[in-house]
Amino acid sequence: MIIGISIALILASSLMVLLVLLHKGKGGGLSDLFGGGFSSSFGGSSVVERNLDRLTVITGTVWFVCIIALGLLLKP
């Protein structure tokens, strides 16, 4: 059980990093330094952005549940 939740946590963490990096930068930060201003001219569909937001929230929820479950299972 603990191994399965740990694997799910690793997968959720990796997916979360990928999804956050896929988000379009809002400007004025590090995203512009690494080409955020250049890629914003190509623009994405608002439907794609909304689906990316939803997937990020779902992945974050799975990550949070895995953290709580591991905390409860590993509690002495």
Side-chain angles (χ1 to χ4, degrees):
M1 181 83 166
I2 292 175
I3 294 173
I5 294 175
S6 297
I7 291 172
L9 179 64
I10 291 169
L11 292 174
S13 299
S14 301
L15 185 60
M16 180 69 78
V17 168
L18 179 69
L19 290 173
V20 168
L21 289 175
L22 284 175
H23 278 279
K24 185 168 51 169
K26 303 296 181 195
L30 287 176
S31 61
D32 284 340
L33 179 67
F34 295 113
F38 176 72
S39 65
S40 67
S41 64
F42 295 112
S45 171
S46 61
V47 174
V48 173
E49 286 292 323
R50 275 185 278 163
N51 287 336
L52 186 60
D53 288 341
R54 289 179 187 145
L55 192 56
T56 305
V57 168
I58 291 169
T59 305
T61 304
V62 169
W63 181 84
F64 184 74
V65 168
C66 288
I67 291 289
I68 297 298
L70 276 177
L72 292 175
L73 288 174
L74 296 175
K75 190 170 155 183

